[in-house]
C-alpha cells in the first residue's frame, strides 16, 4: 500500500490497558518509535565520505540532516510495512565549499522509500532496495533518557490557556531531586524509573505561596504526580500515564 500517513499527527496507536511492565504503554501500529534519535551516518549512496553527516529524527515534528555545512530540514512521513518518505526538503545557509556533498545528501534523502532498524542500526533504502544511508546512534543522542528538563505542554484537567502563559516544567535530570512548576509554587519529589517504562513519583511537596491564577493547575499537578505509573519517551517528547494508561502529562525537551 503506497498511501502514507504523517507522523505523529495521524499515526494510529493502540493502548493496552493490561500491558506488562516490560512493554511501553503505547505502541505505534507502524513501529517508528525507534527511529526518533540523532543518527551518525556511516555509509551513503554514491560512496560519499561520511565524517560529518548526521540525520536527526529526534524532533517528531521537524527533522533534518547535515553534512557539515547546509542544514536540510524535512518532514518524515511513514506508512505500513516500514514505508518512509522524506518530504518538503528545504536547505538552510548557502555558499558551502563542498557543493557535491550537499547535492548528494539532498538527492539521497529524496530517494528514501523505506527503513530497516535492527539492533540500533538504521538503514534507509530506495524503492529498488538500494542502500541510501546506513547509520548508528550519535554519541550525543539522549538515547531515550527520561532524565531531562521537560516543558509541560499538556496536562489532564488543566486550564490549558493558563498552562501556556507561564513556564510550566518538569525537571527529571536528578531523580532524587525532581522538580516541577506550573506558574507559581515549586514542587519537589523523588523519581524512580526503569527501562521497563515503569516510573514512580513520591514524596511530593510544594512551597505554599498563594497564587490565584496558578492555583487550579497547581492543585491538578499535586494530585496527578503520585498517580504517574508509566512513561514513554519518543525523541524529544515525553508522555506520562497512570496505571490504566490514561495520559496525564505531555512534555517536550530542548535538543542539544
Amino acid at each position: 500500500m503506497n498511501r502514507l500517513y504523517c507522523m505523529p499527527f495521524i499515526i494510529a496507536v493502540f493502548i493496552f490497558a493490561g500491558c506488562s511492565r516490560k512493554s511501553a504503554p503505547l505502541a505505534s501500529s507502524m513501529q517508528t518509535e525507534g527511529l526518533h534519535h540523532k543518527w551518525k551516518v556511516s555509509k551513503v549512496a554514491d560512496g560519499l565520505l561520511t565524517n560529518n553527516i548526521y540525520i536527526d529524527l529526534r524532533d517528531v515534528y521537524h527533522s533534518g540532516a547535515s553534512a557539515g555545512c547546509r542544514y536540510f530540514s524535512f518532514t518524515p512521513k511513514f506508512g505500513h510495512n516500514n514505508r518512509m518518505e522524506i518530504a518538503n526538503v528545504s536547505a538552510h545557509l548557502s555558499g558551502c565549499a563542498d557543493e557535491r556533498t550537499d547535492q548528494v545528501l539532498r538527492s539521497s534523502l529524496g530517494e528514501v522509500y523505506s527503513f530497516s532498524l535492527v539492533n540500533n542500526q538504521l538503514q534507509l533504502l530506495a524503492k529498488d532496495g538500494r542502500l541510501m544511508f546506513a547509520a548508528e546512534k550519535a554519541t550525543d543522542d539522549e538515547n531515550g533518557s527520561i532524565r531531562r528538563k521537560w516543558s509541560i505542554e499538556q496536562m489532564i484537567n488543566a486550564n490549558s490557556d493558563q498552562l501556556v502563559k507561564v513556564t510550566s516544567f518538569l525537571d527529571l535530570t536528578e531523580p532524587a531531586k525532581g522538580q516541577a512548576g506550573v506558574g507559581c509554587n515549586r514542587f519537589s519529589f523523588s523519581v524512580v524509573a526503569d527501562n521497563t517504562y515503569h516510573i514512580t513519583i513520591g514524596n511530593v511537596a510544594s512551597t505554599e505561596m498563594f497564587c490565584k491564577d496558578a492555583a487550579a493547575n497547581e492543585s491538578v499537578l499535586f494530585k496527578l504526580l503520585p498517580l504517574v505509573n508509566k512513561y514513554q519517551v519518543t525523541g524529544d517528547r515525553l508522555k506520562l500515564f497512570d496505571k490504566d494508561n490514561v495520559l496525564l502529562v505531555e512534555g517536550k525537551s530542548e535538543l542539544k
Side-chain angles (χ1 to χ4, degrees), residues 14-28 31 33 194-199 229-233 241-243 245:
F14 297 109
I15 300 179
F16 300 98
C19 68
S20 72
R21 288 177 58 181
K22 292 187 177 181
S23 60
L26 290 185
S28 164
Q31 300 300 316
E33 285 85 354
D194 59 33
N195 59 6
T196 67
Y197 309 104
H198 180 262
I199 179 173
N229 183 262
K230 302 170 187 175
Y231 72 91
Q232 181 186 54
V233 175
F241 306 84
D242 70 7
K243 62 182 179 61
N245 290 324

Side-chain angles (χ1 to χ4, degrees), residues 43-46 122-126 128-135:
K43 186 176 181 181
V44 185
D46 200 31
L122 174 66
Q123 291 187 343
L124 301 181
L125 308 170
D128 60 7
R130 286 179 297 118
L131 178 67
M132 305 310 299
F133 298 95

Side-chain angles (χ1 to χ4, degrees), residues 12-252:
V13 294
F14 297 109
I15 300 179
F16 300 98
C19 68
S20 72
R21 288 177 58 181
K22 292 187 177 181
S23 60
L26 290 185
S28 164
S29 63
M30 296 179 188
Q31 300 300 316
T32 65
E33 285 85 354
L35 289 174
H36 298 294
H37 295 279
K38 183 178 180 181
W39 299 93
K40 174 71 168 65
V41 175
S42 58
K43 186 176 181 181
V44 185
D46 200 31
L48 188 66
L49 295 177
T50 58
N51 290 337
N52 295 302
I53 299 180
Y54 293 88
I55 296 176
D56 194 343
L57 302 174
R58 292 175 297 174
D59 188 325
V60 297
Y61 293 97
H62 307 288
S63 298
S66 174
C69 183
R70 288 189 182 92
Y71 182 81
F72 295 96
S73 60
F74 56 83
T75 303
K77 297 182 179 181
F78 302 98
H80 295 289
N81 301 319
N82 287 9
R83 277 284 282 115
M84 180 176 180
E85 178 183 309
I86 292 177
N88 305 320
V89 180
S90 60
H92 302 256
L93 300 179
S94 59
C96 298
D98 187 358
E99 292 290 340
R100 178 181 176 275
T101 299
D102 280 348
Q103 289 171 1
V104 172
L105 175 59
R106 182 165 189 164
S107 63
S108 298
L109 289 170
E111 289 198 56
V112 170
Y113 183 83
S114 65
F115 70 89
S116 171
L117 188 60
V118 179
N119 296 326
N120 290 321
Q121 301 294 310
L122 174 66
Q123 291 187 343
L124 301 181
L125 308 170
K127 189 172 185 179
D128 60 7
R130 286 179 297 118
L131 178 67
M132 305 310 299
F133 298 95
E136 57 189 22
K137 288 180 185 176
T139 57
D140 58 344
D141 177 71
E142 293 83 358
N143 201 29
S145 173
I146 196 172
R147 296 180 62 168
R148 307 181 223 174
K149 186 172 182 178
W150 306 88
S151 298
I152 299 175
E153 297 197 326
Q154 295 186 53
M155 189 169 69
I156 191 170
N157 296 330
N159 180 324
S160 298
D161 291 338
Q162 176 64 23
L163 198 65
V164 299
K165 286 180 182 178
V166 298
T167 303
S168 301
F169 72 95
L170 191 65
D171 191 344
L172 307 179
T173 52
E174 294 186 57
K177 300 178 181 179
Q179 298 186 60
V182 287
C184 183
N185 285 288
R186 184 169 291 256
F187 292 76
S188 61
F189 47 85
S190 60
V191 179
V192 178
D194 59 33
N195 59 6
T196 67
Y197 309 104
H198 180 262
I199 179 173
T200 300
I201 296 178
N203 303 316
V204 180
S206 171
T207 56
E208 297 182 353
M209 296 183 292
F210 176 73
C211 310
K212 181 178 179 181
D213 291 340
N217 283 349
E218 289 184 341
S219 177
V220 171
L221 182 63
F222 189 81
K223 292 175 182 177
L224 70 80
L225 284 174
L227 300 178
V228 173
N229 183 262
K230 302 170 187 175
Y231 72 91
Q232 181 186 54
V233 175
T234 304
D236 65 339
R237 300 279 162 172
L238 170 71
K239 293 183 179 181
L240 298 177
F241 306 84
D242 70 7
K243 62 182 179 61
D244 297 315
N245 290 324
V246 175
L247 179 59
L248 302 177
V249 178
E250 291 187 64
K252 180 181 180 180

